[in-house]
Amino acid sequence: MPQQQMSSPGQGQRFDWWAAPAAATASARPDRPTPPAAARPVPSVPVQPAPVPAAAHAAAPAVPVAGRATATDSTEVYRAVQGSEAFQEIRRSYRAFVFPVSSAFLAWYLAYVAAQAAAPDLMRSPVAGPFNVAWLLGLLQFATTFLLTWLYARNARTKRDRAALGLRWDTQDQLR
Amino acid sequence: MTTAMTTATPPPVAPAGDHHDLAIVLFAVIVLVTLGITLWVGRRGSAAEDFYAGGRDFTPLQNGFALSGDYLSAASFLGVAGLIALYGYDGVLYSIGFLVAWLVVLMLVAELVRNAGRYTLADVLALRLRRRKVRAAAGGASVVVTLLYLVAQMVGAGSLVALLLGTNSAQARTWTIVAVGGLMIVYVTVGGMRATTWIQIVKAFLLVAGSVLLTVLLMVRFHGDVGELMRQAAQHSGAGQRYLEPGLKYGATSTSRLDFFSLGLALVLGTAGLPHILSRFYTVPTARAARRSTMWAIGLVGGFYLMAIALGLGATALVGSAEVRHANSAGNTAVPLLALVLGGGNGSTGGVVLFALISAIAFATILAVVAGLTLASSAAFAHDIWAGAWRGRPRRRSLLRRRAVPASRPSGEAGGEAQSEAEGKAQREAGERQEVVVARIAAVGIGAAAIAISLFAQQLNVAFLVGLAFAVAASANLPVLLYTLFWRRFTARGAIWSVYGGLIPAIVLVTFSPVVSGTKVALFPGVDFHWFPLENPGIVSIPLGFLAGWIGTLTSPEPADADRFAELEVRSLTGAGAA
């Protein structure tokens, strides 16, 4: 399995992908402006992020990488990666967060909109000074939006970014 | 002081004073700066990747500003604040839907679309469902959505710029629409995505800076007492306490409440189907950058709407609802009027400067948004309809044959393969160059069409048109996108049914709604053929879009292609092979 995946740019340095077409097609661009250096490939150091790629290596059957992968080969690679434990874990952690949270915030928003029609008296009841329940719930919508944005980003950063990046290099390796 | 403002009978903005001269100068500066950006940035590259995706090298912060720039149209800046100034709490309700919608974009769409597509929404579908009909359907729906949105913005621009310049004549409106349309065609054809993105960034920065300035001045005026601001607003709204309660605008009848629910549904689900928002995610290098730009956008949009609420309340408290309504019945000039008062009132230097500044920002907003829309529309036409579906028929067959031959050959004939690969690459590049030419021509055509429709539809309500564009996006684009990304069994027939099953009901229901006929403010006020009671079709057409996709998939003669779904899933979640 080739380890030399990219002639990667230094941290924060711009990299001209057009000047290096070979590298550009072989690997993807690094996520340039990211604060944690966690998943970012460092120049000339073989990419070995976390234990995940190892798992992927184990799970994905070694597709003969002789020259360029043909159409059927790439289909097999994608099927194999899809079936791998590493990918299923990424998929699970994504769906397990996104589906319940999306249903929850959509329900909360639609309930809030429907409440104007269904329970206007409740919405009118005062809370403090000129504030009433309607204003309170409206501001809470802002608050939950910001909160869920932060929670989602944290979930993605801690649960799947590193694994997804590892699997990405690995898949592209096999496709080459 | 405030009592003097509300009891004064002559509207402070009606006579064309000297503050309009300064506004004209600033408008000219905006036009020159944006044209300068276009010429400067447009030279940097003219490949398909530059034209559609701005070279994919924007940072998340830049793209976050550009996303909020694309999203915060003049309808938001002036419209939402104006609605709040006139209807209080019901205007607030409107703004919340616009913000919550971004959670759908962030969680379900942004990263996956970035990984799976190249330039447009239809790319994502085409990765899995390789049918020309799917591409044509999705591209067509994108063109319809962007055109509706474009007409909304240009109609708004016409009345708004004329108003800000102090003339309200029909001729001024007409010329404004033509001029704005001409400028947007220049931005897009010359500068492509790169110039459009930089214009959005500049505009979003100006917009946020202007809002912060006004909000700070407002808060200083009220010594930071939000309760006092709300009390004063209620006092000068003419509606008393009802101003701060739900129902002033949307609570009259159960039909209007249902209409608002329909609008709310369209707003929250429509954003994730807006082509000009989706194509923004292709301007950053990775899915993670797409996520981070969405987070910036949520921060900026959320912060902006919080300020818009304060400014709307401020306009009511300091200018008064009656004055706001007198200057423009939709409340669109509430913020400029507030700027005039906060700067020191009519005639004072501070008031004149602030009024001109805010008007110029509103003008920049209009220009930037129409440019983004024209670009998305021309991309959908050239990349999806022309290159993907129309030109695709003969070319695709030959490509397939070419691909099938080396696949059946035993591996080892590397020479022949490399040759065909180089040939294919050259052919692809030639095709893309041709495609960009078509996109530039399409931008001219779409711009001209938008100008023509806008001139015809000048009396239509801008907020309604925006709501309609969101409803069509939510009905035609979102179901097919979500099904494609998440449903294993989804098929090409499901996709086609889903697009048309959302698009057609949305258009038909609007045609037979009170917006088109049967009321005094309708498009055809003289006749009455309406039978659908709501103005916004979302509550019916969005479920229909999902339902049609589901039924189409179930009745599909062929099963879903598991290989293609594997490719889409792996690519969308890991970023393997992303453009």
PDB file of all heavy atoms in Angstrom, chain B residues 527-544:
ATOM      1  N   VAL B 527     -60.074  39.511 -13.390  1.00  0.00           N
ATOM      2  CA  VAL B 527     -60.732  38.205 -13.515  1.00  0.00           C
ATOM      3  C   VAL B 527     -60.590  37.413 -12.220  1.00  0.00           C
ATOM      4  O   VAL B 527     -59.789  37.752 -11.352  1.00  0.00           O
ATOM      5  CB  VAL B 527     -60.125  37.401 -14.683  1.00  0.00           C
ATOM      6  CG1 VAL B 527     -60.573  37.974 -16.001  1.00  0.00           C
ATOM      7  CG2 VAL B 527     -58.621  37.360 -14.572  1.00  0.00           C
ATOM      8  N   ASP B 528     -61.371  36.360 -12.111  1.00  0.00           N
ATOM      9  CA  ASP B 528     -61.306  35.539 -10.907  1.00  0.00           C
ATOM     10  C   ASP B 528     -61.428  34.066 -11.289  1.00  0.00           C
ATOM     11  O   ASP B 528     -62.500  33.580 -11.610  1.00  0.00           O
ATOM     12  CB  ASP B 528     -62.442  35.930  -9.948  1.00  0.00           C
ATOM     13  CG  ASP B 528     -62.358  35.140  -8.655  1.00  0.00           C
ATOM     14  OD1 ASP B 528     -61.406  34.337  -8.504  1.00  0.00           O
ATOM     15  OD2 ASP B 528     -63.239  35.337  -7.798  1.00  0.00           O
ATOM     16  N   PHE B 529     -60.293  33.384 -11.312  1.00  0.00           N
ATOM     17  CA  PHE B 529     -60.362  31.933 -11.544  1.00  0.00           C
ATOM     18  C   PHE B 529     -59.635  31.194 -10.432  1.00  0.00           C
ATOM     19  O   PHE B 529     -59.097  30.133 -10.629  1.00  0.00           O
ATOM     20  CB  PHE B 529     -59.794  31.567 -12.935  1.00  0.00           C
ATOM     21  CG  PHE B 529     -58.432  32.155 -13.238  1.00  0.00           C
ATOM     22  CD1 PHE B 529     -57.287  31.508 -12.802  1.00  0.00           C
ATOM     23  CD2 PHE B 529     -58.316  33.337 -13.964  1.00  0.00           C
ATOM     24  CE1 PHE B 529     -56.040  32.040 -13.096  1.00  0.00           C
ATOM     25  CE2 PHE B 529     -57.067  33.868 -14.248  1.00  0.00           C
ATOM     26  CZ  PHE B 529     -55.922  33.222 -13.805  1.00  0.00           C
ATOM     27  N   HIS B 530     -59.602  31.807  -9.251  1.00  0.00           N
ATOM     28  CA  HIS B 530     -58.842  31.147  -8.182  1.00  0.00           C
ATOM     29  C   HIS B 530     -59.731  30.185  -7.402  1.00  0.00           C
ATOM     30  O   HIS B 530     -60.914  30.443  -7.192  1.00  0.00           O
ATOM     31  CB  HIS B 530     -58.205  32.187  -7.258  1.00  0.00           C
ATOM     32  CG  HIS B 530     -59.030  32.588  -6.081  1.00  0.00           C
ATOM     33  ND1 HIS B 530     -60.017  33.534  -6.148  1.00  0.00           N
ATOM     34  CD2 HIS B 530     -59.012  32.145  -4.801  1.00  0.00           C
ATOM     35  CE1 HIS B 530     -60.566  33.665  -4.963  1.00  0.00           C
ATOM     36  NE2 HIS B 530     -59.982  32.846  -4.130  1.00  0.00           N
ATOM     37  N   TRP B 531     -59.160  29.040  -7.050  1.00  0.00           N
ATOM     38  CA  TRP B 531     -59.879  28.115  -6.178  1.00  0.00           C
ATOM     39  C   TRP B 531     -59.005  27.653  -5.025  1.00  0.00           C
ATOM     40  O   TRP B 531     -59.476  27.050  -4.073  1.00  0.00           O
ATOM     41  CB  TRP B 531     -60.407  26.905  -6.962  1.00  0.00           C
ATOM     42  CG  TRP B 531     -59.406  26.271  -7.907  1.00  0.00           C
ATOM     43  CD1 TRP B 531     -59.336  26.474  -9.256  1.00  0.00           C
ATOM     44  CD2 TRP B 531     -58.356  25.356  -7.595  1.00  0.00           C
ATOM     45  NE1 TRP B 531     -58.306  25.756  -9.801  1.00  0.00           N
ATOM     46  CE2 TRP B 531     -57.695  25.043  -8.803  1.00  0.00           C
ATOM     47  CE3 TRP B 531     -57.914  24.744  -6.418  1.00  0.00           C
ATOM     48  CZ2 TRP B 531     -56.614  24.179  -8.873  1.00  0.00           C
ATOM     49  CZ3 TRP B 531     -56.839  23.885  -6.488  1.00  0.00           C
ATOM     50  CH2 TRP B 531     -56.191  23.601  -7.701  1.00  0.00           C
ATOM     51  N   PHE B 532     -57.692  27.926  -5.103  1.00  0.00           N
ATOM     52  CA  PHE B 532     -56.813  27.549  -4.010  1.00  0.00           C
ATOM     53  C   PHE B 532     -56.723  28.738  -3.053  1.00  0.00           C
ATOM     54  O   PHE B 532     -56.365  29.844  -3.461  1.00  0.00           O
ATOM     55  CB  PHE B 532     -55.423  27.199  -4.561  1.00  0.00           C
ATOM     56  CG  PHE B 532     -54.469  26.686  -3.525  1.00  0.00           C
ATOM     57  CD1 PHE B 532     -54.691  25.469  -2.901  1.00  0.00           C
ATOM     58  CD2 PHE B 532     -53.347  27.419  -3.164  1.00  0.00           C
ATOM     59  CE1 PHE B 532     -53.823  24.995  -1.937  1.00  0.00           C
ATOM     60  CE2 PHE B 532     -52.472  26.945  -2.204  1.00  0.00           C
ATOM     61  CZ  PHE B 532     -52.712  25.730  -1.592  1.00  0.00           C
ATOM     62  N   PRO B 533     -57.088  28.570  -1.782  1.00  0.00           N
ATOM     63  CA  PRO B 533     -57.234  29.743  -0.904  1.00  0.00           C
ATOM     64  C   PRO B 533     -55.924  30.366  -0.433  1.00  0.00           C
ATOM     65  O   PRO B 533     -55.909  31.527  -0.027  1.00  0.00           O
ATOM     66  CB  PRO B 533     -58.018  29.188   0.285  1.00  0.00           C
ATOM     67  CG  PRO B 533     -57.704  27.730   0.316  1.00  0.00           C
ATOM     68  CD  PRO B 533     -57.498  27.319  -1.107  1.00  0.00           C
ATOM     69  N   LEU B 534     -54.808  29.598  -0.460  1.00  0.00           N
ATOM     70  CA  LEU B 534     -53.575  30.108   0.149  1.00  0.00           C
ATOM     71  C   LEU B 534     -52.685  30.806  -0.871  1.00  0.00           C
ATOM     72  O   LEU B 534     -52.702  30.474  -2.057  1.00  0.00           O
ATOM     73  CB  LEU B 534     -52.787  28.950   0.786  1.00  0.00           C
ATOM     74  CG  LEU B 534     -53.539  28.094   1.797  1.00  0.00           C
ATOM     75  CD1 LEU B 534     -52.625  27.022   2.353  1.00  0.00           C
ATOM     76  CD2 LEU B 534     -54.093  28.956   2.918  1.00  0.00           C
ATOM     77  N   GLU B 535     -51.880  31.763  -0.374  1.00  0.00           N
ATOM     78  CA  GLU B 535     -50.930  32.430  -1.255  1.00  0.00           C
ATOM     79  C   GLU B 535     -49.690  31.583  -1.467  1.00  0.00           C
ATOM     80  O   GLU B 535     -49.049  31.651  -2.505  1.00  0.00           O
ATOM     81  CB  GLU B 535     -50.526  33.784  -0.663  1.00  0.00           C
ATOM     82  CG  GLU B 535     -51.636  34.806  -0.704  1.00  0.00           C
ATOM     83  CD  GLU B 535     -51.155  36.189  -0.350  1.00  0.00           C
ATOM     84  OE1 GLU B 535     -49.970  36.334  -0.003  1.00  0.00           O
ATOM     85  OE2 GLU B 535     -51.971  37.117  -0.409  1.00  0.00           O
ATOM     86  N   ASN B 536     -49.297  30.853  -0.423  1.00  0.00           N
ATOM     87  CA  ASN B 536     -48.093  30.035  -0.527  1.00  0.00           C
ATOM     88  C   ASN B 536     -48.471  28.566  -0.656  1.00  0.00           C
ATOM     89  O   ASN B 536     -49.198  28.030   0.185  1.00  0.00           O
ATOM     90  CB  ASN B 536     -47.212  30.241   0.706  1.00  0.00           C
ATOM     91  CG  ASN B 536     -45.826  29.686   0.495  1.00  0.00           C
ATOM     92  OD1 ASN B 536     -45.658  28.487   0.313  1.00  0.00           O
ATOM     93  ND2 ASN B 536     -44.841  30.547   0.485  1.00  0.00           N
ATOM     94  N   PRO B 537     -47.979  27.888  -1.700  1.00  0.00           N
ATOM     95  CA  PRO B 537     -48.417  26.510  -1.944  1.00  0.00           C
ATOM     96  C   PRO B 537     -47.679  25.455  -1.113  1.00  0.00           C
ATOM     97  O   PRO B 537     -47.997  24.280  -1.197  1.00  0.00           O
ATOM     98  CB  PRO B 537     -48.092  26.321  -3.435  1.00  0.00           C
ATOM     99  CG  PRO B 537     -46.908  27.188  -3.656  1.00  0.00           C
ATOM    100  CD  PRO B 537     -47.063  28.365  -2.743  1.00  0.00           C
ATOM    101  N   GLY B 538     -46.685  25.885  -0.330  1.00  0.00           N
ATOM    102  CA  GLY B 538     -45.766  24.944   0.320  1.00  0.00           C
ATOM    103  C   GLY B 538     -46.437  23.804   1.070  1.00  0.00           C
ATOM    104  O   GLY B 538     -46.020  22.646   0.964  1.00  0.00           O
ATOM    105  N   ILE B 539     -47.473  24.100   1.822  1.00  0.00           N
ATOM    106  CA  ILE B 539     -48.057  23.083   2.695  1.00  0.00           C
ATOM    107  C   ILE B 539     -48.621  21.914   1.892  1.00  0.00           C
ATOM    108  O   ILE B 539     -48.722  20.793   2.392  1.00  0.00           O
ATOM    109  CB  ILE B 539     -49.131  23.720   3.607  1.00  0.00           C
ATOM    110  CG1 ILE B 539     -49.404  22.808   4.799  1.00  0.00           C
ATOM    111  CG2 ILE B 539     -50.391  24.028   2.853  1.00  0.00           C
ATOM    112  CD1 ILE B 539     -50.191  23.487   5.880  1.00  0.00           C
ATOM    113  N   VAL B 540     -48.982  22.157   0.647  1.00  0.00           N
ATOM    114  CA  VAL B 540     -49.474  21.073  -0.209  1.00  0.00           C
ATOM    115  C   VAL B 540     -48.362  20.529  -1.104  1.00  0.00           C
ATOM    116  O   VAL B 540     -48.162  19.316  -1.210  1.00  0.00           O
ATOM    117  CB  VAL B 540     -50.654  21.564  -1.084  1.00  0.00           C
ATOM    118  CG1 VAL B 540     -51.115  20.459  -2.016  1.00  0.00           C
ATOM    119  CG2 VAL B 540     -51.788  22.044  -0.210  1.00  0.00           C
ATOM    120  N   SER B 541     -47.605  21.433  -1.734  1.00  0.00           N
ATOM    121  CA  SER B 541     -46.674  20.979  -2.766  1.00  0.00           C
ATOM    122  C   SER B 541     -45.435  20.295  -2.189  1.00  0.00           C
ATOM    123  O   SER B 541     -44.875  19.409  -2.831  1.00  0.00           O
ATOM    124  CB  SER B 541     -46.275  22.149  -3.662  1.00  0.00           C
ATOM    125  OG  SER B 541     -45.581  23.121  -2.924  1.00  0.00           O
ATOM    126  N   ILE B 542     -44.995  20.676  -1.003  1.00  0.00           N
ATOM    127  CA  ILE B 542     -43.804  20.028  -0.432  1.00  0.00           C
ATOM    128  C   ILE B 542     -44.098  18.562  -0.098  1.00  0.00           C
ATOM    129  O   ILE B 542     -43.351  17.675  -0.521  1.00  0.00           O
ATOM    130  CB  ILE B 542     -43.283  20.806   0.797  1.00  0.00           C
ATOM    131  CG1 ILE B 542     -42.824  22.197   0.374  1.00  0.00           C
ATOM    132  CG2 ILE B 542     -42.120  20.065   1.446  1.00  0.00           C
ATOM    133  CD1 ILE B 542     -42.502  23.113   1.532  1.00  0.00           C
ATOM    134  N   PRO B 543     -45.188  18.265   0.644  1.00  0.00           N
ATOM    135  CA  PRO B 543     -45.496  16.847   0.846  1.00  0.00           C
ATOM    136  C   PRO B 543     -45.705  16.107  -0.472  1.00  0.00           C
ATOM    137  O   PRO B 543     -45.309  14.940  -0.604  1.00  0.00           O
ATOM    138  CB  PRO B 543     -46.783  16.869   1.670  1.00  0.00           C
ATOM    139  CG  PRO B 543     -46.783  18.181   2.336  1.00  0.00           C
ATOM    140  CD  PRO B 543     -46.102  19.123   1.399  1.00  0.00           C
ATOM    141  N   LEU B 544     -46.292  16.776  -1.470  1.00  0.00           N
ATOM    142  CA  LEU B 544     -46.503  16.115  -2.765  1.00  0.00           C
ATOM    143  C   LEU B 544     -45.180  15.738  -3.415  1.00  0.00           C
ATOM    144  O   LEU B 544     -45.056  14.674  -4.019  1.00  0.00           O
ATOM    145  CB  LEU B 544     -47.312  17.011  -3.705  1.00  0.00           C
ATOM    146  CG  LEU B 544     -48.825  16.973  -3.539  1.00  0.00           C
ATOM    147  CD1 LEU B 544     -49.483  17.893  -4.558  1.00  0.00           C
ATOM    148  CD2 LEU B 544     -49.355  15.559  -3.699  1.00  0.00           C
TER     149      LEU B 544
END
